[in-house]
Amino acid sequence: MFLKQLNRLRRSLAFRLTLWYAGIFSISVFLAFFFFYFLVIDVLRSQVDDDLNRQLRAFAGIMQVDGLEGVRRIALQETQTGGEAARLIRLLSRFGTEFSVSDQTYWRNIGVDSEAIRRLLTEGQPVFETIGIPDAGDSLRIIYGSIGPGIIMQLGQSLAPQMRLIQAFQRLFFITMAAVIGLAAVIGWFLARRALSGVGGIARTARRITQGDLAVRAPVSRRGDEIDQLAANINHMLDRILELITGIREMSDNIAHDLKSPITRIRGLAEVTLTTSQQVADYEQMGASTIEECDRLLDMINTMLVISRTEAGVQELAWQAVDMTLLARDAVHLFETTARDKAIQLSFAADEPRQIHGDAAMLQRMVANLLDNAIRYTAQGGTVSVGVHAAPTGGVEVAFQDNGIGIRAGDLARIFERFYRCDPSRSQTGTGLGLSLAQAVARAHGGSITVQSEPGQGSTFRVTLPINADKIGEK
Ligand code: ADP
């Protein structure tokens, strides 16, 4: 169990980010320390070298003034005041033979480097070297330099104080590094968890949606960072998907309802006729009604197919020149009787022939659907007018205006959906497919339909069609 959790943690992005952060941070600090360390060592060494050089020059001065005796005297004083371990002073001939040396107990193993003397004599410059004294854990920095004619001085100085400083520096380095790694890990973990907290929320949301809870949404904080934008986009996508699912659900409910009613009627009539009638006339009546209902069903199914094919662009259109003025006038003539039955005043207005390229039969269905709606959704005694004009944006505009029941703002956006009907009780006849077909036809001709409506005041549907519809339609 614990191992499993550890494994999961090891694979988590937060853990890997923390590791990277702590790693990079620690390496940076290590490098900074590393350079500083060598800088300190270099500065300390050049300080010691300067010091030795200065002493050498001082002895050379004493040699000039007081001679060898003066040098010996001062050397003795120096070693006594500095302590035997602090200083080595040796006087040598130019062949390296020792003729005077300070108290040597501490430095007894330090000999004379003939190679250093050779270099001094050839280069004429003081020569430095460092010698370790492992037993004492100490080191010695030595200078060989000439202080008078034929007299070489070997001057050594313990590096113990400098080494103590370097050791203290090393201790500080290890403590600081441990603290830095620890701090970097904690800060890195905190930052990674904070940055990725939104991702966890999104993952939890996805899990709950998979389990069937479609209403849940990813949490969006007020930070407004990339993760918040991702969460907001996912939420937006989920809203859209839910909207589509609801639409599909409603549509299938509507299809089921609209197909069920005629079938129920056919079945009811057949049952009643079979159980109660003995007359041939009743059976004839049943046959006629069944044909009528079946025609309605077939018409509905066919319309659905035509809409789908037209929207998908696979419906063959018979392109030809069509005079929209003539086509609309014929439709108005056709609906005159229906309008008269409802005492609706039906009028037509057009200034001149308006020719476009299109499929006459499809355009007739479109105009008939819009005119049929205008009359059906207008009360007795109302007015319906149809007009054909030049569209303001070019092409032809066919307008259908009524002073009927109108459409609520909430319904306006949905009336072109298949099977959508504003009156859920379906008190009016209709299938909810008329406007979907009209829009599919307008779009197949490169046009569009717009609607303006005011509940209780009436509606105006405007179809705009381009003149060269066949070219757009063939694309
Ligand atoms: P339907 O067969 O129900 O008329 P449509 O697709 O033609 O189907 O229209 C969809 C819905 O739009 C109708 O059910 C109706 O509620 C509303 N509608 C269409 N035209 C009008 C109009 N001229 N006036 C008021 N409502 C309308």
Side-chain angles (χ1 to χ4, degrees):
M1 180 70 187
F2 175 69
L3 269 180
K4 223 169 161 187
Q5 267 181 348
L6 201 72
N7 230 358
R8 198 178 310 144
L9 179 77
R10 226 162 42 98
R11 274 179 313 187
S12 73
L13 191 57
F15 181 76
R16 277 182 288 157
L17 281 177
T18 307
L19 222 58
W20 273 100
Y21 179 79
I24 291 171
F25 197 66
S26 306
I27 289 172
S28 311
V29 173
F30 177 81
L31 284 179
F33 249 104
F34 192 73
F35 286 120
F36 192 56
Y37 178 74
F38 280 101
L39 193 76
V40 167
I41 287 183
D42 196 53
V43 167
L44 288 176
R45 214 200 47 223
S46 54
Q47 256 178 7
V48 172
D49 288 0
D50 287 350
D51 206 27
L52 285 171
N53 225 339
R54 222 177 10 256
Q55 287 179 45
L56 197 74
R57 280 202 306 277
F59 276 115
I62 296 165
M63 181 74 185
Q64 254 182 4
V65 178
D66 297 333
L68 203 54
E69 264 323 296
V71 171
R72 275 210 186 100
R73 202 178 54 249
I74 301 294
L76 190 67
Q77 279 174 13
E78 279 286 312
T79 44
Q80 277 170 355
T81 51
E84 63 149 323
R87 196 137 294 182
L88 163 73
I89 303 174
R90 203 178 246 155
L91 289 170
L92 307 164
S93 75
R94 59 196 306 265
F95 306 107
T97 353
E98 172 186 310
F99 58 85
S100 178
V101 66
S102 58
D103 186 344
Q104 228 200 338
T105 349
Y106 189 74
W107 312 116
R108 65 183 169 280
N109 293 328
I110 310 296
V112 176
D113 185 354
S114 50
E115 173 56 24
I117 293 184
R118 195 191 58 75
R119 271 175 54 208
L120 169 70
L121 293 177
T122 48
E123 289 165 18
Q125 293 289 330
V127 175
F128 289 94
E129 65 178 18
T130 307
I131 292 173
I133 310 165
D135 299 346
D138 197 358
S139 280
L140 190 67
R141 186 73 174 159
I142 292 177
I143 187 172
Y144 290 91
S146 185
I147 57 164
I151 299 170
I152 295 169
M153 179 172 264
Q154 184 192 17
L155 206 59
Q157 185 176 323
S158 164
L159 292 176
Q162 286 76 14
M163 281 173 76
R164 271 198 298 281
L165 192 74
I166 288 169
Q167 274 161 6
F169 189 86
Q170 282 170 349
R171 264 200 308 280
L172 181 77
F173 168 75
F174 286 118
I175 293 169
T176 314
M177 269 320 279
V180 161
I181 293 175
L183 201 72
V186 172
I187 294 177
W189 179 250
F190 172 75
L191 287 179
R193 288 300 299 257
R194 200 172 134 83
L196 296 175
S197 60
V199 178
I202 295 174
R204 274 193 298 280
T205 308
R207 220 171 13 248
R208 282 181 59 190
I209 289 174
T210 320
Q211 284 161 2
D213 186 356
L214 285 176
V216 72
R217 292 291 174 268
V220 183
S221 74
R222 258 179 279 143
R223 287 203 296 269
D225 55 17
E226 288 87 341
I227 301 211
D228 277 341
Q229 282 168 24
L230 177 71
N233 285 343
I234 288 178
N235 287 347
H236 193 246
M237 185 181 79
L238 289 172
D239 288 344
R240 190 78 193 99
I241 290 174
L242 195 66
E243 216 174 275
L244 290 174
I245 291 176
T246 316
I248 291 171
R249 213 176 272 161
E250 269 176 29
M251 196 170 94
S252 47
D253 284 355
N254 288 339
I255 295 177
H257 181 271
D258 287 336
L259 292 181
K260 209 175 121 194
S261 314
I263 292 172
T264 315
R265 277 199 299 274
I266 294 170
R267 196 189 174 285
L269 189 64
E271 198 175 9
V272 170
T273 314
L274 276 177
T275 48
T276 59
S277 302
Q278 275 114 39
Q279 312 280 321
V280 175
D282 292 334
Y283 286 94
E284 281 173 356
Q285 171 67 34
M286 181 188 82
S289 298
T290 306
I291 290 172
E292 201 181 305
E293 293 289 0
C294 285
D295 279 350
R296 272 172 49 77
L297 275 172
L298 278 175
D299 187 45
M300 210 164 108
I301 292 165
N302 279 335
T303 309
M304 272 162 69
L305 284 174
V306 173
I307 296 171
S308 299
R309 290 170 60 85
T310 310
E311 278 179 351
V314 290
Q315 176 78 20
E316 284 279 321
L317 297 183
W319 295 102
Q320 55 180 295
V322 181
D323 179 0
M324 285 309 290
T325 306
L326 191 64
L327 190 142
R329 185 178 289 129
D330 285 349
V332 170
H333 281 318
L334 218 67
F335 278 86
E336 259 165 3
T337 330
T338 323
R340 207 176 303 127
D341 289 347
K342 279 183 86 177
I344 284 174
Q345 198 187 320
L346 179 59
S347 62
F348 177 75
D351 42 8
E352 55 186 271
R354 300 257 166 215
Q355 218 156 61
I356 63 158
H357 278 91
D359 182 317
M362 292 292 253
L363 291 168
Q364 268 163 5
R365 284 188 83 169
M366 177 188 77
V367 169
N369 283 353
L370 291 166
L371 188 52
D372 178 47
N373 280 353
I375 295 170
R376 262 190 306 129
Y377 299 109
T378 299
Q380 290 267 342
T383 58
V384 170
S385 63
V386 179
V388 183
H389 311 279
T393 51
V396 178
E397 181 189 276
V398 188
F400 304 83
Q401 191 171 13
D402 64 60
N403 64 353
I405 60 172
I407 302 163
R408 278 179 295 126
D411 288 324
L412 271 182
R414 302 198 59 191
I415 51 171
F416 293 99
E417 287 173 21
R418 268 176 257 188
F419 290 105
Y420 189 80
R421 300 175 74 188
C422 307
D423 174 16
S425 67
R426 280 140 162 73
S427 48
Q428 277 279 356
T429 55
T431 57
L433 291 172
L435 285 180
S436 311
L437 180 68
Q439 192 179 51
V441 172
R443 284 186 177 162
H445 285 80
S448 61
I449 304 182
T450 55
V451 55
Q452 276 174 323
S453 190
E454 196 60 52
Q457 303 289 309
S459 316
T460 305
F461 284 79
R462 284 196 175 82
V463 185
T464 312
L465 297 166
I467 307 255
N468 56 351
D470 55 337
K471 296 208 176 76
I472 295 164
E474 277 166 4
K475 265 185 203 162

